[in-house]
Every structure is written in structure tokens, then in C-alpha cells.
Amino acid sequence: MTQHDTKTPQFFLTSPSRCPYLEDQMERKVFTHLVGEKASEMNELLTQGGFRRSQNIAYRPACESCRSCISIRIMADEFKPTKSMRRIINANQDLIGVEHNAEPTSEQFSLFRAYLDSRHRDGGMSDMTALDYAMMVEDTHVNTKVIEYRRRGPDSFITGQGEGPLVGVSLCDRMSDGYSMVYSFFDPDSEFKSLGTWIILDHISRANAQGLPFVYLGYWVADSPKMEYKSRFKPQQHLTPNGWELYRGK
């Protein structure tokens, strides 16, 4: 069994592989293991330094000829929804999200498979099994939560719980300065509209309710259409060589 030093993190570099966002580009990543009693503290420091978490691995791009991946975080305490976002909020008022410990369920996996088969059939996660999904959720040494979204019931205002089928799920890390969104998915055929956007808006609302200033969205690539949605949530900060700076793009 491979042993990892839990006190002094060691960093490794992956071999080049094809970039999933930009054609004709190759990507490399630097990564370390998040294990031991200091894992949460290390995860926060690395997330604030532009890393992302996948299971018990923290990684960030280390490409030789490209710097297109930019870490971004929404300034939740200053966020103002656009007119279209307000319409999405109003359209989904019948939904409620409930936060759970990071424990996978068969219902979550069924929704996850439906989402992948509809939206990402040719993606890198398309072959994930139930065991793979379980590892994605529970292989964590940090404060990870699963938020399940369902329709509000007649007693939801008392119990705080939803009812009926699961329509959306978010896997996220709760940190001292905000939420880091690891992965989210939803029913591609749901009557609820723009669920991907609404789940992000819900995290902003949760951060505000707890006095947390940020929601971390991972990487944004300006030339990648699949990343365009992340730039809509303003104000936001981008991690630059000079630290986190307010994004003043269009």
C-alpha cells in the first residue's frame, strides 16, 4: 500500500494528455494527496491558491504552453442576480435543497447516470460505475457535503425537507470562507428550468445566509463555450499572478 506523508504534502506532475476544453492543446496537472488531520486546512489553502479537489486529490493545471484555465470565485456577499437569473429563481421556487453528509445513494447514482447519458455521453466521466460514483462522493478527508434538491412539500416549511423524486444534486466542500462546488448534476428532463444555474444561485444564497464571502466555481476558460456560463455570475474574482483580482470583463 502506498504511504503518504500527512504532515508535509508532496506534489507530483502528471504526464501530458489531451485538453478537454481547447482543441490542439495538451494539459498537465500538478497534484497532491489530501489526507490526515490537516486535510481540511490544506484543502482551504490550496483552493484559495487555485487548486481543485477530486476525491482525496487536490490539483491545478501546470500546462507547458497554455495559461487559459483561470480560477474564479463569486463574491457572494456582493452578488446581485441579473434579470434572467431572477426569472430562474422565480421559476424554481417550488424546489428546496437539503444538505447531507457526503454519503452516496442509489437514487443519486441513477440521476447521475441520466445526466451523463444526456449531457456528457462522450465525456471523461461517461463510463463511471456505481462504485466510481460512491468513491467520488465519499472518498474525502475534508468537510464535504451533498445537497439534494426536491420539490417542496406541504410540511417543508416545518421540516425543512423536500419530497418526491430527486431532481438535482451538488457535491461541495464547506470552507471557512465559502463553498467550493466540486460537481453538480440534475434531471435533464425536469420541468424545472435552468437547474444548473439555479443550483449555483442556491449556493450563493447559502453562503450569504452563513456570512461566507465566496463561492468557488473552479476553472474558467475564456475560449471554451462550455465554460461561458461561469462568467455570468458577477461580481467575481479571478486568480492572477498578483493574487485574486476583480474581473472586469464584459
Side-chain angles (χ1 to χ4, degrees):
M1 178 181 296
T2 302
Q3 299 293 321
H4 302 292
D5 189 336
T6 62
K7 296 182 179 180
T8 304
Q10 294 180 304
F11 291 86
F12 307 89
L13 188 64
T14 66
S15 299
S17 61
R18 186 170 299 280
C19 177
Y21 303 114
L22 299 176
E23 294 184 4
D24 302 323
Q25 290 287 349
M26 302 294 287
E27 70 168 1
R28 301 189 76 177
K29 296 174 182 175
V30 61
F31 69 95
T32 189
H33 294 86
L34 294 169
V35 294
E37 60 183 20
K38 297 291 187 181
S40 287
E41 179 182 339
M42 182 61 63
N43 184 51
E44 293 209 14
L45 289 172
L46 291 175
T47 299
Q48 292 162 0
F51 279 71
R52 291 285 283 163
R53 185 184 69 81
S54 176
Q55 297 178 218
N56 65 0
I57 297 291
Y59 68 91
R60 68 171 298 170
C63 306
E64 297 176 357
S65 60
C66 180
R67 295 293 182 271
S68 295
C69 289
I70 299 173
S71 296
I72 69 173
R73 63 187 185 186
I74 303 166
M75 301 171 69
D77 52 352
E78 298 183 30
F79 175 77
K80 295 291 189 296
T82 63
K83 187 176 297 185
S84 64
M85 289 176 183
R86 290 196 295 271
R87 286 196 294 267
I88 292 170
I89 292 171
N90 292 333
N92 294 297
Q93 285 185 347
D94 201 25
L95 282 179
I96 185 171
V98 179
E99 195 170 295
H100 302 277
N101 291 329
E103 297 175 354
T105 68
S106 58
E107 187 182 23
Q108 291 170 15
F109 178 68
S110 294
L111 182 63
F112 177 70
R113 281 290 355 151
Y115 174 78
L116 290 182
D117 292 342
S118 174
R119 298 294 185 94
H120 302 287
R121 186 180 298 273
D122 298 323
M125 303 171 76
S126 61
D127 295 330
M128 286 181 64
T129 65
L131 179 58
D132 295 328
Y133 175 77
M135 292 295 290
M136 183 177 81
V137 173
E138 65 186 5
D139 189 8
T140 175
H141 294 258
V142 305
N143 187 14
T144 300
K145 299 295 182 182
V146 170
I147 303 176
E148 294 187 341
Y149 297 94
R150 304 178 192 270
R151 184 184 293 277
R152 293 182 186 273
D155 297 325
S156 291
F157 70 99
I158 298 175
T159 65
Q161 303 291 315
E163 65 177 25
L166 191 64
V167 299
V169 173
S170 171
L171 181 67
C172 58
D173 293 339
R174 171 66 159 76
M175 306 192 307
S176 62
D177 68 344
Y179 281 93
S180 177
M181 298 187 66
V182 177
Y183 196 78
S184 60
F185 54 93
F186 49 86
D187 182 356
D189 299 319
S190 175
E191 64 184 274
F192 297 100
K193 304 301 182 183
S194 302
L195 283 178
T197 295
W198 188 82
I199 289 173
I200 296 174
L201 292 169
D202 179 67
H203 282 69
I204 296 171
S205 177
R206 289 172 182 273
N208 273 320
Q210 298 174 61
L212 303 174
F214 302 114
V215 172
Y216 290 81
L217 286 187
Y219 300 118
W220 172 70
V221 179
D223 295 328
S224 173
K226 64 177 68 175
M227 292 284 201
E228 190 274 333
Y229 73 94
K230 294 186 179 185
S231 64
R232 302 173 192 163
F233 298 87
K234 297 185 178 72
Q236 63 181 236
Q237 294 178 340
H238 290 190
L239 186 58
T240 75
N242 297 318
W244 289 99
E245 295 184 347
L246 182 65
Y247 173 62
R248 302 185 183 279
K250 61 180 180 179

